[in-house]
Amino acid sequence: MDTTYDPALAGEGADDGQPLLYPRIDCRDVSVFYSGKQAVFDVSLPVFDRSVTALIGPSGCGKSTFLRCLNRMNDTIDGAKVTGEIFMDGENINSSHIDPVLLRSRVGMVFQKPNPFPKSIYDNIAYGPRIHGLVDDRQELDAIVEKSLRRAGLWEEVKDRLGQPGTSLSGGQQQRLCIARAIAVRPEVILMDEPCSSLDPIATARIEELIDELRKRYCIVIVTHSMQQAARVSQRTAFFHLGHLVEMGDTDQIFTSPRERRTEDYITGRFG
Amino acid sequence: MNNAQDNPFRSEKALKRLRRRRNADMRFQGYGIVALGFALFALVFLISAIAWKASGASTYHVIRVDLELSPQTILPEGDASPEEITRNIEGFYSLVRNDLLTRFPEANETVQSKRAFSSLIDRMAVLPLAREVADEPHLIGQTTSVDVPLSDDVDMFLKGAAPRAIFLRVGEASSPMRNAEEGDFKIEVDRLNKVSAKIAAIGQHGAEPTVLLVADKSVGRIKSMEDGDVILEILTGRQDQFDGASVKAVIIPSPEDQRSVSDQQIAWALALKAEGVIKRVPHFSLLTHTDSTYPELAGALAALVGSLLTMLVTAAVSIPMGIFAAIFLEEFAPKNRLTQIIEVNINNLAAVPSIVFGLLGATLLLGTFGLPRSAPLVGGLVLALLILPVVIIAARAALRAVPPSIRSGALAVGASRMQAVFHHVLPLALPGMLTGAILGMARALGETAPLLLIGMVAFVAEVPSSTTDEATALPVLIYSWASNAERAWEPMTAAVIVILLAILVLMNLAVVLLRRKFERRW
């Protein structure tokens, strides 16, 4: 697989469902400051479409912070400042004329802890399409809810109790509900911030299967603490340390023959 | 190996330390229970003391007579307009008094006795009757049963509150024997000699107590007593009613010149009570009448409505303002020095003495803006300012209790900040916000000081109908009734306190129900 960044390929799509490696998002010299303290240092990273990119690294290395740059969730934090350029479809999403609300409808996000709204399962999914005006009538909405739940692999479990509160589901189901909620607004990119860290191994396995399924349609960026998980689900891996991007490349290459010493130390368990 | 010193479960030192720790634990719990018990005791004591006081005002005595509302007396000028009817209080009054006077010929004898008899009923006591007749003029000329409240002094005596009296059954009387002096006679009463020593001991400060003997509808005063033989002076009724009758003694310790009711008035009241003309009835007028200078006529209706109107204004201003201020500060405002200063000042404002808000209202609302004095509008605005910090602080706490993950979730699916707040955060925070608001309102309901300063202490005889009418409020009414001298106001004041407490309890109940109904977990 050719993994080097080729701008000529940017923006081209393919419908065969096969992973097609061209950068969907291209980050250049991204730095993040929290109240003047720098947390991420000049990270340049292409994120490829129809693949899973895993961000790994020890706690506090800035991988979550970097992830949150991709849908400008850092805007909601007081004192956070992002510099550098992040291109998506030829637009710098950090520029002031990009509306973060619009951006977030194209870049969905799943959080560490499942956070369904305290509403019905149906309303959890329907909320996004409603506020974005994606549907005209109830039937269309029903269709979106069903499709999203099916893609998240939750439909069979909840189809008879869509009116029940989303918080009544189990942890793993809640997380899949959150994924379905993110899918419902038809994003192109899905960001996942340690989506399995609060789940048991069985629920984790289901989510991982789901991620593998989803990568056929979406560009997925996942932050994970578990190197096994990164090895299992991702095609590309980026290793962060102390706010710096140390190394990135194909997952196989990172885990078998890392170029950097620090990467090797980390994945062999010598620190972190 | 088996040495106790080596076993960590049995070593002396460890056990000693453990004991000390357990004792400290028990001591701490003990303090807590003592503190709780004291608080509980104080609360129960307070509530029962007030309830006990107020129970005296739950009933009162009225004179219930059948009256012919003759047009000559109540319409001396023949004009049957409602204004004319209500103005002719004197006519109604003489109607009631003359009906009663027919029962007591001795009251008609002198001007003094007639005046003493008249003061059994206050002149204004017939005003509700006059109003009723004015509303329904067809009653004129008909005979109808009317209730007229008894003067508060007599009412208090009959309730046994003041002056205190002791009622004793003293057995049967012998046939009366005429004594030397006119009007006096001598009788023997069964058991009177057994209690005579007791009676003498009751007298206050060495003075002889007054002892009245009651037989049926006749009342006599004991002039002297010797071995169960008494010389009795008839105050009202006939001496032959004592003949063989079962006699009740009424012993009044305080001397006649130190009381507000004379022996003669007491005699009349006892006779009327024996006749069934004076009845003890539930004191509904406490809730249906407005304020009055006569305790038996006074009611809390005007103050109740005034409080309600004031609360309406307070709620309308403070709840939306407080909630929106809290939403802005908590969810939208940038965290900088300015918002920090605002935050600190809101917290400080909550600690400002309420009277300061009254001063502010007096100068700003009355002085600068020229709003009407004594109006619920001004009172409501002042109280709204007073509880605004409380509402804001409670609302912010409620917002802060909503987990940030809900906001992130909403933002991540592309909701705007406002959508995230209004669709997701606000519904979760609302029960908490309303709890704070209702508690703030409860505080406002009990506030007196600021209302005094903006003139809501006025005597209000009319039920206010709008927020700009002259009005007073329940706590202010309590304040003004409590400063009245007459004894009769004491149970009345307690009764209004009970009304106020009942409203507060209802509000707190609403808080509990609201919380239970809408509390959601996430």
Side-chain angles (χ1 to χ4, degrees):
Chain A
M1 273 192 283
D2 177 18
T3 58
T4 51
Y5 172 54
D6 183 356
L9 285 172
E12 279 188 26
D15 301 311
D16 55 8
Q18 287 302 306
L20 218 180
L21 296 179
Y22 67 88
R24 177 86 232 183
I25 302 173
D26 188 19
C27 309
R28 293 180 194 165
D29 298 324
V30 175
S31 297
V32 184
F33 303 83
Y34 285 131
S35 312
K37 193 169 166 288
Q38 193 161 3
V40 172
F41 296 83
D42 302 321
V43 171
S44 295
L45 176 77
V47 178
F48 292 91
D49 204 4
R50 298 183 187 223
S51 69
V52 177
T53 305
L55 310 182
I56 61 169
S59 295
C61 68
K63 54 194 189 303
S64 284
T65 301
F66 174 75
L67 186 77
R68 294 165 65 89
C69 294
L70 300 182
N71 66 346
R72 284 182 61 177
M73 280 297 266
N74 283 327
D75 290 16
T76 64
I77 296 169
D78 278 312
K81 190 172 147 250
V82 181
T83 62
E85 294 162 317
I86 300 171
F87 285 99
M88 190 176 160
D89 293 336
E91 290 269 13
N92 179 9
I93 63 168
N94 271 346
S95 76
S96 57
H97 64 265
I98 295 284
D99 187 346
V101 169
L102 212 56
L103 173 69
R104 285 179 206 137
S105 72
R106 299 182 57 201
V107 183
M109 188 162 189
V110 177
F111 296 86
Q112 186 168 355
K113 218 175 138 244
N115 60 346
F117 302 134
K119 298 173 186 259
S120 71
I121 293 171
Y122 186 95
D123 286 335
N124 260 284
I125 312 290
Y127 179 70
R130 273 196 193 124
I131 59 168
H132 292 297
L134 296 182
V135 288
D136 297 325
D137 54 39
R138 179 81 187 189
Q139 276 166 336
E140 258 183 278
L141 193 58
D142 288 347
I144 288 192
V145 170
E146 182 177 342
K147 198 168 93 184
S148 308
L149 283 171
R150 274 190 196 283
R151 284 200 182 159
L154 197 60
W155 176 251
E156 291 303 323
E157 290 159 62
V158 301
K159 64 180 175 189
D160 298 324
R161 46 175 178 145
L162 292 175
Q164 282 182 19
T167 42
S168 68
L169 299 173
S170 74
Q173 287 174 324
Q174 284 190 18
Q175 194 62 297
R176 276 181 281 149
L177 181 66
C178 291
I179 293 173
R181 182 175 72 188
I183 293 170
V185 291
R186 299 182 196 153
E188 294 145 47
V189 181
I190 301 176
L191 310 178
M192 298 189 178
D193 191 354
E194 298 182 42
C196 303
S197 65
S198 64
L199 304 181
D200 66 58
I202 296 169
T204 301
R206 292 236 34 189
I207 300 280
E208 284 179 6
E209 274 170 41
L210 177 60
I211 292 170
D212 208 46
E213 190 62 32
L214 291 173
R215 97 180 139 85
K216 292 174 187 158
R217 297 171 193 275
Y218 305 95
C219 160
I220 296 174
V221 186
I222 178 170
V223 166
T224 176
H225 260 116
S226 152
M227 280 167 287
Q228 288 88 338
Q229 186 172 63
R232 280 194 301 265
V233 301
S234 72
Q235 285 73 51
R236 305 252 313 156
T237 297
F239 172 60
F240 281 69
H241 187 223
L242 299 175
H244 295 274
L245 175 63
V246 176
E247 186 175 352
M248 66 167 160
D250 278 2
T251 301
D252 294 344
Q253 175 256 311
I254 292 275
F255 279 93
T256 51
S257 53
R259 282 188 288 268
E260 294 277 337
R261 179 66 194 267
R262 275 181 292 169
T263 315
E264 192 184 341
D265 286 353
Y266 180 69
I267 61 176
T268 52
R270 240 165 272 170
F271 75 94
Chain B
M1 276 305 272
N2 287 332
N3 191 335
Q5 288 300 312
D6 294 343
N7 187 332
F9 286 109
R10 299 212 177 148
S11 88
E12 195 65 27
K13 249 171 112 178
L15 285 180
K16 205 171 154 194
R17 197 163 51 232
L18 200 65
R19 239 185 342 262
R20 233 186 6 245
R21 245 162 41 183
R22 202 175 295 144
N23 287 343
D25 235 46
M26 298 297 282
R27 264 204 306 282
F28 181 74
Q29 287 188 25
Y31 297 151
I33 288 169
V34 166
L36 210 65
F38 180 75
L40 212 63
F41 167 77
L43 186 71
V44 168
F45 180 77
L46 185 79
I47 300 265
S48 46
I50 290 173
W52 174 247
K53 274 254 173 69
S55 67
S58 63
T59 56
Y60 71 149
H61 289 91
V62 295
I63 286 172
R64 183 170 292 169
V65 282
D66 287 322
L67 278 187
E68 196 210 333
L69 301 171
S70 72
Q72 295 92 314
T73 326
I74 56 174
L75 300 172
E77 277 151 44
D79 181 3
S81 69
E83 297 79 30
E84 198 55 40
I85 294 174
T86 37
R87 210 166 58 195
N88 187 21
I89 296 220
E90 194 56 48
F92 285 95
Y93 183 67
S94 55
L95 208 57
V96 175
R97 188 186 55 187
N98 293 344
D99 180 90
L100 294 175
L101 272 176
T102 57
R103 296 156 212 251
F104 303 108
E106 73 275 9
N108 253 328
E109 277 166 12
T110 62
V111 178
Q112 282 88 349
S113 70
K114 205 168 169 179
R115 191 176 292 151
F117 186 81
S118 299
S119 65
L120 287 182
I121 305 170
D122 283 315
R123 208 161 239 100
M124 291 305 285
V126 296
L127 184 60
L129 172 65
R131 286 205 177 122
E132 198 192 324
V133 174
D135 281 347
E136 297 172 61
H138 64 86
L139 289 173
I140 296 170
Q142 290 181 1
T143 301
T144 172
S145 165
V146 297
D147 282 4
V148 182
L150 210 54
S151 159
D152 61 294
D153 292 329
V154 187
D155 180 51
M156 291 297 277
F157 170 76
L158 289 177
K159 281 175 182 166
R164 277 197 184 287
I166 296 152
F167 292 77
L168 283 177
R169 291 209 166 275
V170 286
E172 286 183 8
S174 69
S175 299
M177 288 171 285
R178 182 155 289 285
N179 198 38
E181 282 176 63
E182 183 82 17
D184 296 356
F185 65 98
K186 191 168 156 187
I187 54 168
E188 243 174 75
V189 182
D190 242 7
R191 279 172 290 174
L192 200 55
N193 56 339
K194 288 182 194 153
V195 290
S196 58
K198 212 165 150 192
I199 291 172
I202 287 169
Q204 269 179 351
H205 314 298
E208 286 269 309
T210 304
V211 183
L212 303 181
L213 292 184
V214 186
D216 198 16
K217 293 168 204 165
S218 298
V219 182
R221 176 166 54 192
I222 292 180
K223 287 180 88 177
S224 70
M225 180 160 54
E226 206 172 294
D227 299 337
D229 280 2
V230 290
I231 308 254
L232 206 60
E233 171 193 12
I234 279 285
L235 292 176
T236 181
R238 302 185 315 271
Q239 58 173 317
D240 58 329
Q241 283 192 324
F242 281 90
D243 193 353
S246 142
V247 175
K248 205 164 58 176
V250 180
I251 306 147
I252 306 156
S254 57
E256 190 172 14
D257 54 2
Q258 285 177 25
R259 327 183 206 118
S260 44
V261 277
S262 66
D263 290 347
Q264 182 66 57
Q265 286 171 321
I266 289 173
W268 284 323
L270 291 171
L272 282 171
K273 189 149 192 211
E275 205 178 329
V277 172
I278 290 181
K279 281 190 157 37
R280 194 166 184 170
V281 297
H283 197 172
F284 292 125
S285 65
L286 194 62
L287 284 172
T288 56
H289 281 188
T290 56
D291 203 1
S292 166
T293 41
Y294 302 99
E296 72 268 26
L297 299 175
L301 182 65
L304 195 65
V305 174
S307 264
L308 219 72
L309 288 171
T310 310
M311 284 301 104
L312 229 63
V313 175
T314 306
V317 174
S318 70
I319 294 180
M321 212 151 109
I323 286 183
F324 282 113
I327 292 176
F328 177 73
L329 280 175
E330 197 59 33
E331 303 285 340
F332 295 101
K335 303 273 177 285
N336 55 28
R337 181 154 298 192
L338 184 68
T339 49
Q340 247 169 19
I341 290 172
I342 290 174
E343 204 176 321
V344 168
N345 277 304
I346 287 173
N347 291 337
N348 286 341
L349 220 53
V352 169
S354 58
I355 198 150
V356 176
F357 286 94
L359 279 172
L360 177 81
T363 24
L364 197 71
L365 297 176
L366 301 183
T368 313
F369 296 133
L371 291 174
R373 271 179 69 82
S374 316
L377 176 67
V378 182
L381 288 174
V382 168
L383 292 180
L385 282 180
L386 175 71
I387 66 165
L388 197 58
V390 181
V391 177
I392 292 178
I393 291 170
R396 292 188 69 179
L399 285 170
R400 231 171 289 151
V402 176
S405 66
I406 297 288
R407 292 179 189 83
S408 308
L411 291 176
V413 294
S416 70
R417 214 152 161 172
M418 198 166 129
Q419 284 173 327
V421 169
F422 281 88
H423 294 165
H424 298 287
V425 179
L426 199 56
L428 290 175
L430 214 50
M433 289 174 158
L434 289 184
T435 303
I438 293 176
L439 290 180
M441 297 286 291
R443 187 187 159 192
L445 186 64
E447 274 300 338
T448 320
L451 298 184
L452 296 182
L453 284 182
I454 55 150
M456 278 184 84
V457 69
F459 179 86
V460 178
E462 294 276 316
V463 178
S465 57
S466 80
T467 52
T468 47
D469 284 354
E470 227 176 46
T472 186
L474 284 174
V476 185
L477 190 73
I478 292 169
Y479 167 78
S480 36
W481 281 9
S483 40
N484 283 337
E486 282 160 275
R487 285 289 300 276
W489 289 107
E490 211 176 291
M492 301 278 287
T493 310
V496 181
I497 293 175
V498 168
I499 294 173
L500 187 64
L501 284 178
I503 298 175
L504 291 177
V505 167
L506 281 180
M507 288 173 92
N508 278 294
L509 205 68
V511 168
V512 172
L513 291 180
L514 208 67
R515 229 185 249 163
R516 189 160 307 164
K517 184 153 195 301
F518 292 105
E519 194 169 56
R520 273 199 261 192
R521 300 182 180 284
W522 45 80

